[in-house]
Amino acid sequence: MPLHVPPAPAPALRSVLTALSSPTAVSEARTPSLLGAEGTASPELPLPVHVLDRVTTEGVSATRLTGWRFLIRCGDQAVAAADTVLTPDGWTFSRFFEGPYIASTELALRQAEALPQPYQPRLLSVPGLYMLALWLHGDRTADGATGHPAATDLLVPLAPAPPGIAAHRPYRAAELLPVLTHRVTPDRLLGSPA
């Protein structure tokens, strides 16, 4: 089934396009794959990034939107990603980066497209475990900037995943969130992942 990617705020997309057209922003990004990419780089697949602030022992979670992430594609592959954040002046470009989460995100999205049920893709960051997961929200018409994982939503940990949690295996939120509760102490939830 096709994924229903929520639309990113127009200012977030504009800020990434502006950064991509800035030689200074690209050269200072320390992303060799973006610097060495041939062809036109374009931002695609905007995904809202939510941070998991709290999980109860019952698996009920509290999340908040922290930004939008765009995969930066050159030709047929993603070579980097761009993050945007909300400031008092609106959505603005934050950074370009590369690393294992880029390929892992693409793989998880391809796997999700093969599922029989349509989902709305999001990213869920668990700072206390340095974990990032593709969050497949069952309500594909929901506002991508709001909400919390429903018990039936799927969470697909991206590689590298924390020890004991299989990367690229879809877990029901009701199954994975209680596991995270036992692994994350309250002060570790307050940290910020890279």
Side-chain angles (χ1 to χ4, degrees):
M1 279 286 190
L3 295 174
H4 296 271
V5 179
L13 176 58
R14 278 194 305 271
S15 73
V16 171
L17 290 169
T18 300
L20 278 171
S21 66
S22 165
T24 304
V26 172
S27 66
E28 290 180 358
R30 296 192 189 115
T31 53
S33 59
L34 184 58
L35 282 169
E38 295 183 21
T40 304
S42 62
E44 296 182 5
L45 288 168
L47 297 173
V49 180
H50 295 260
V51 170
L52 184 65
D53 283 326
R54 180 174 33 93
V55 183
T56 67
T57 52
E58 296 81 30
V60 178
S61 62
T63 62
R64 61 186 161 84
L65 179 72
T66 59
W68 284 80
R69 179 166 294 169
F70 297 78
L71 292 179
I72 305 299
R73 188 170 298 283
C74 286
D76 62 349
Q77 72 177 39
V79 296
D83 280 346
T84 62
V85 294
L86 187 59
T87 68
D89 295 326
W91 287 101
T92 186
F93 169 76
S94 173
R95 67 183 179 134
F96 290 118
F97 67 96
E98 60 184 49
Y101 285 133
I102 308 299
S104 187
T105 301
E106 279 198 304
L107 175 59
L109 286 166
R110 281 194 306 274
Q111 290 173 323
E113 286 176 343
L115 294 172
Q117 178 181 340
Y119 289 98
Q120 181 189 85
R122 305 169 176 197
L123 291 173
L124 183 66
S125 173
V126 185
L129 293 176
Y130 297 99
M131 177 180 162
L132 187 64
L134 180 65
W135 168 13
L136 299 172
H137 191 52
D139 181 0
R140 63 185 190 267
T141 62
D143 178 356
T146 62
H148 306 290
T152 56
D153 286 353
L154 295 180
L155 299 175
V156 183
L158 301 180
I165 297 175
H168 295 284
R169 176 186 178 258
Y171 294 88
R172 292 262 176 230
E175 175 188 2
L176 185 59
L177 290 176
V179 171
L180 300 180
T181 302
H182 297 292
R183 296 180 123 202
V184 179
T185 61
D187 7 327
R188 288 183 71 195
L189 270 175
L190 299 177
S192 178

